[in-house]
Amino acid sequence: MKLRKVSAASAAVLALALTATACGGDDKDSGSSGGDGKKITIGIKFDQPGLGQKTPDGYEGFDVDVATYVAKKLGYTEDQIEWKESKSADRETMLQRGDVDFIAATYSITPERQEKVDFAGPYLLAHQDVLIRADDDKIKSPEDLNNAKLCSVTGSTSAQNIKEKLAPKAQLQPYPTYSACLPGLQNGAIDALTTDDSILAGYAAQSQFKGKFKLGGFKLTNENYGIGVKKGSDLKDKINTALEEMVSDKSWDKAVKDNFGPANYKNEPAPKIGDIKS
């Protein structure tokens, strides 16, 4: 009788332990576990053709291809990726709060941002430029932006760079997204849109804008695109390894051709990890 009582008690304990273990499987999905059926949450832009764009068929662009490749190397399939929109002004906060595991969203590495988050990469070297109307023959140099109505996006560094260093009389026109600037540029409400040449090339290549805009070709700055992670995250080294593999197996070249080829974008060679051009 005593043996049966002990066995029953043991069975109860075992059942309780199994129940607790099963309940533990309901924890919030996290990118820290990798390849075990959970999700990884990645921040991208939703409105940047050629880089990060949400379409009726899903998500596409160079940043999307890079992020998907990295996620695969971390142990996640495409259907295990949860995409979240990461606007320029929200990126550091999203990483600090843990809303995303990493961000690949034309995210230039700067000393100010490195104080708040860590970066893997860079994985693309772009340059700040301006997009103007195709028939505009007045803006031929950065200095010609003085007194011009210049559109950029709240939270980005592009417009501030021009106003502080090149054209102090430029009239800044802040908009929430780059795509919101395009109608004003087309109808003459603004004179130029400034951001990275890779982003501008994506817009210029869209079918509805084909032949209406052109790049200034100024190469005003070096923009080192990195993948942002939470400060101290062990994902940084893992992502760097994945980026090196993407370059070595030519997947990086294919992504550039697939996304920028239609715009005839003259991209820089793939940068080496940690090589940040000032």
Side-chain angles (χ1 to χ4, degrees):
M1 290 293 293
K2 286 184 178 180
L3 286 176
R4 283 197 294 272
K5 287 181 180 178
V6 171
S7 298
S10 299
V13 170
L14 178 60
L16 182 61
L18 289 173
T19 301
T21 302
C23 291
D26 293 332
D27 289 345
K28 181 182 182 297
D29 290 340
S30 171
S32 61
S33 298
D36 56 4
K38 295 185 177 181
K39 297 283 186 180
I40 186 167
T41 306
I42 303 174
I44 57 169
K45 293 292 181 64
F46 278 13
D47 67 334
Q48 290 181 349
L51 286 149
Q53 186 175 30
K54 183 178 182 179
T55 74
D57 298 322
Y59 302 89
E60 60 184 30
F62 182 72
D63 283 348
V64 175
D65 289 349
V66 170
T68 301
Y69 184 98
V70 168
K72 182 178 180 181
K73 290 297 181 179
L74 293 176
Y76 296 89
T77 59
E78 287 190 40
D79 60 1
Q80 290 176 315
I81 298 174
E82 178 185 354
W83 301 105
K84 279 197 175 182
E85 184 175 19
S86 299
K87 295 182 179 180
S88 295
D90 299 334
R91 292 175 297 201
E92 285 84 36
T93 301
M94 292 180 72
L95 288 169
Q96 291 169 336
R97 284 194 312 230
D99 296 341
V100 292
D101 293 297
F102 68 80
I103 290 177
T106 59
Y107 203 0
S108 296
I109 302 171
T110 68
E112 294 77 18
R113 289 169 178 165
Q114 286 177 307
E115 293 178 0
K116 301 176 182 179
V117 300
D118 286 340
F119 286 97
Y123 64 92
L124 182 71
L125 176 60
H127 304 283
Q128 185 183 344
D129 203 348
V130 296
L131 191 68
I132 56 181
R133 287 180 292 280
D135 60 357
D136 188 331
D137 57 0
K138 296 179 181 178
I139 300 176
K140 298 179 180 179
S141 71
E143 291 74 21
D144 294 331
L145 293 168
N146 277 305
N147 299 314
K149 294 185 287 291
L150 180 64
C151 177
S152 194
V153 173
T154 306
S156 73
T157 58
S158 302
Q160 287 82 358
N161 285 340
I162 287 180
K163 188 169 180 66
E164 292 173 6
K165 302 175 184 178
L166 300 169
K169 294 182 181 180
Q171 302 173 31
L172 300 188
Q173 305 290 322
Y175 280 69
T177 63
Y178 296 108
S179 57
C181 300
L182 295 175
L185 180 59
Q186 187 174 359
N187 64 30
I190 60 173
D191 300 307
L193 160 62
T194 182
T195 185
D196 306 344
D197 52 7
S198 56
I199 299 172
L200 298 175
Y203 287 126
Q206 287 183 285
S207 58
Q208 67 268 38
F209 298 126
K210 191 172 182 179
K212 296 180 179 179
F213 303 133
K214 64 183 178 182
L215 286 165
F218 299 155
K219 292 192 175 182
L220 301 174
T221 63
N222 291 325
E223 302 297 333
N224 304 272
Y225 288 176
I227 292 181
V229 297
K230 190 173 184 177
K231 200 77 173 173
S233 173
D234 61 358
L235 280 178
K236 176 180 175 180
D237 290 339
K238 296 175 183 178
I239 293 173
N240 278 335
T241 298
L243 292 174
E244 289 175 335
E245 292 177 8
M246 187 176 189
V247 174
S248 64
D249 69 13
K250 305 299 182 182
S251 296
W252 188 91
D253 293 318
K254 183 179 185 301
V256 169
K257 183 178 180 181
D258 289 347
N259 293 289
F260 298 132
N264 198 29
Y265 172 60
K266 306 298 183 183
N267 66 281
E268 300 279 3
K272 293 188 180 300
I273 300 301
D275 182 14
I276 300 173
K277 303 293 186 185
S278 59

